[in-house]
Amino acid sequence: MKIRGWAILILALILAGTLFRVQWLVGLGIATGGVLGIAHLWRVRVLQNIVYRRSLIYTRGFPGETLPLRLSIENQKRLPVTWLRIRDSWPLNLAPEERDSLAPSHVPGRGYLTNIYHLWGYRRVVRDFRLRLGGRGVYSLGPVTLESGDPFGLGECHEEIEMPATVTVFPQLVPRSHLELFSEDPYGERGTRKRLFEDPNLTIGVRPYTPEDTFRQIHWPATARTGQLQTRVYQPISAQVMMLCVNVATSEHPWLGTLPEVLEHLIRVAASFCYYGIEDGYAVGLAVNGGLTSADQLMQIQPGRTMDHLAILLQALAGVTPLITHPFERFLVHTASHVAMGATLVILTAVINPSLIEAITLIKRYRHHLVLVALSEAPPPSLAGVKTIHYPLSSEVKGKKE
């Protein structure tokens, strides 16, 4: 019954008791009004100064690992809370080891991390969980719903808090032995790993011209100033640079849908190349023609070789979606034109078609370090000057059985 209905009932009891001189009716009306007033004021104040906190020491990890989670709820007022139910929207791939902690939800792939508390004034309760990480992805936590009511059970109140937070589950790595990398030259580089190249995009000075210099190296403004031919001096860079270009298409016709198993296989192999490349001392960059969980824009990460950079690469791969932002052939040619000279270009794809072969042939005219990693079931064609690794999904399944 609404407040107006209760008010009419209470007034009727008091008037009836007064007119007919029935004292217990008057007392009943006053007592009922007092109880309803207390219940209303209790519901108005019960959720005030309630502080809910999540404490995640680590916010990223690999599938199968566990992360510690601490939940704390504090009542920062004198008024006690007879009961408090907290429902935290939670992804199923971050479920606590105690499966009963997650209640069903109407949102696919999510549940409610539900806890019920009884809090006296100025009291705090802490609960610890272990989260077991499932499939790769970037998962959002929240929102949080607080529910409570008056001690008489006459009504309830609730409040929703956003409390945004994210947890990243990195892609599962493929064992190095399963990738069948080249033993002497794993990522397609030739000669010594300490050789230096020059980046034509980074000029650091000039020097006098020598017969070995090419026409493009001549610095014409400096030549005009000095009256003698001057040559550009470029920034030297290490040959240990690898740019990984990933095609998220899983079939010839992406508009017909995505094959989830093939996409996950593709992401696992990409993450493995990033991990083992940095482990071997390479500066690794990443370019993917697929959208991210939080954006649908083109993703390109410049090469780096630190462990922090590796975390950035793995986090980016964790959030890759099947949404194709650019056709891979044009995307590949555009990316290759912006990669430093001397770097290795690793092309990772599950779809081999004539357009891709044509794009690789075009890139091969001005790049000497190309590796094609084909995840298609059929072996890729042999291309002159291009090293090829064939690693279909069936190879991974076989490796797991062994």
Side-chain angles (χ1 to χ4, degrees), residues 217-239:
Q217 290 178 275
I218 297 177
H219 194 294
W220 292 110
T223 298
R225 288 195 302 269
T226 61
Q228 296 180 346
L229 286 176
Q230 300 292 313
T231 301
R232 299 176 185 271
V233 178
Y234 298 120
Q235 172 71 46
I237 61 171
S238 170

Side-chain angles (χ1 to χ4, degrees), residues 29-88:
I30 295 174
T32 303
V35 170
L36 292 176
I38 293 173
H40 175 70
L41 293 175
W42 197 294
R43 290 196 301 272
V44 169
R45 294 210 52 195
V46 68
L47 291 181
Q48 294 180 2
N49 301 109
I50 297 293
V51 179
Y52 176 71
R53 296 188 182 93
R54 301 191 209 99
S55 297
L56 278 164
I57 302 175
Y58 308 103
T59 58
R60 56 196 185 190
F62 288 93
E65 294 181 344
T66 59
L67 301 181
L69 168 68
R70 170 165 290 185
L71 301 180
S72 68
I73 183 73
E74 185 176 1
N75 181 16
Q76 296 181 344
K77 62 181 181 297
R78 188 181 301 276
L79 181 69
V81 181
T82 53
W83 65 274
L84 174 65
R85 180 167 54 239
I86 298 180
R87 299 195 306 164
D88 198 345

Side-chain angles (χ1 to χ4, degrees), residues 77-399:
K77 62 181 181 297
R78 188 181 301 276
L79 181 69
V81 181
T82 53
W83 65 274
L84 174 65
R85 180 167 54 239
I86 298 180
R87 299 195 306 164
D88 198 345
S89 182
W90 208 265
L92 297 180
N93 275 329
L94 297 179
E97 292 181 327
E98 304 83 2
R99 286 287 180 175
D100 295 340
S101 300
L102 282 186
S105 168
H106 66 283
V107 181
R110 300 186 72 87
Y112 288 113
L113 185 60
T114 305
N115 290 278
I116 298 178
Y117 303 90
H118 169 74
L119 295 172
W120 292 103
Y122 301 105
R123 294 293 297 274
R124 183 168 70 100
V125 177
V126 175
R127 290 185 178 177
D128 293 318
F129 298 88
R130 299 290 301 185
L131 303 178
R132 183 164 297 279
L133 305 185
R136 65 107 188 166
V138 180
Y139 301 101
S140 60
L141 310 182
V144 179
T145 302
L146 308 181
E147 299 176 352
S148 187
D150 60 81
F152 308 110
L154 298 177
E156 297 183 1
C157 57
H158 69 276
E159 179 182 351
E160 188 171 290
I161 308 172
E162 287 298 327
M163 291 189 65
T166 57
V167 175
T168 302
V169 181
F170 295 145
Q172 185 69 55
L173 299 180
V174 177
R176 184 191 286 264
S177 58
H178 292 175
L179 290 177
E180 299 180 3
L181 300 175
F182 308 108
S183 57
E184 296 181 356
D185 191 12
Y187 308 103
E189 297 206 9
R190 296 153 175 82
T192 175
R193 290 171 56 183
K194 297 300 182 183
R195 179 176 46 177
L196 295 180
F197 290 84
E198 294 177 335
D199 188 349
N201 298 316
L202 300 174
T203 302
I204 62 174
V206 295
R207 60 172 174 79
Y209 173 81
T210 61
E212 293 81 12
D213 296 331
T214 63
F215 185 77
R216 290 185 178 181
Q217 290 178 275
I218 297 177
H219 194 294
W220 292 110
T223 298
R225 288 195 302 269
T226 61
Q228 296 180 346
L229 286 176
Q230 300 292 313
T231 301
R232 299 176 185 271
V233 178
Y234 298 120
Q235 172 71 46
I237 61 171
S238 170
Q240 292 178 244
V241 178
M242 178 174 67
M243 192 68 180
L244 182 63
C245 297
V246 182
N247 180 17
V248 299
T250 58
S251 64
E252 286 278 0
H253 309 293
W255 58 87
L256 296 179
T258 301
L259 302 175
E261 290 187 358
V262 177
L263 178 62
E264 293 307 312
H265 178 52
L266 188 79
I267 299 301
R268 284 193 294 268
V269 175
S272 303
F273 265 82
C274 293
Y275 184 88
Y276 298 132
I278 289 182
E279 189 178 62
D280 292 341
Y282 284 74
V284 181
L286 179 65
V288 183
N289 70 328
L292 297 178
T293 303
S294 56
D296 58 356
Q297 298 180 354
L298 188 68
M299 185 185 75
Q300 287 189 348
I301 301 175
Q302 294 303 312
R305 52 167 50 90
T306 65
M307 295 307 295
D308 288 339
H309 185 74
L310 174 61
I312 293 174
L313 295 175
L314 294 179
Q315 185 157 354
L317 289 171
V320 170
T321 67
L323 176 64
I324 298 176
T325 57
H326 294 75
F328 186 63
E329 294 78 18
R330 286 188 291 171
F331 172 78
L332 181 61
V333 173
H334 176 269
T335 302
S337 64
H338 291 79
V339 178
M341 297 301 295
T344 296
L345 192 66
V346 179
I347 304 166
L348 180 58
T349 179
V351 178
I352 305 293
N353 53 33
S355 300
L356 178 59
I357 299 300
E358 183 180 349
I360 295 175
T361 304
L362 174 64
I363 296 172
K364 181 58 187 169
R365 296 177 183 175
Y366 59 93
R367 285 201 169 274
H368 304 289
H369 301 255
L370 289 179
V371 178
L372 174 62
V373 183
L375 306 186
S376 55
E377 290 299 324
S382 179
L383 301 174
V386 179
K387 289 196 172 184
T388 303
I389 299 175
H390 185 217
Y391 186 61
L393 180 60
S394 56
S395 298
E396 184 174 270
V397 174
K398 181 181 178 181

Side-chain angles (χ1 to χ4, degrees), residues 13-34:
L13 289 174
I14 295 175
L15 288 175
T18 303
L19 292 174
F20 296 104
R21 301 179 182 275
V22 181
Q23 296 184 356
W24 67 270
L25 281 180
V26 177
L28 179 61
I30 295 174
T32 303

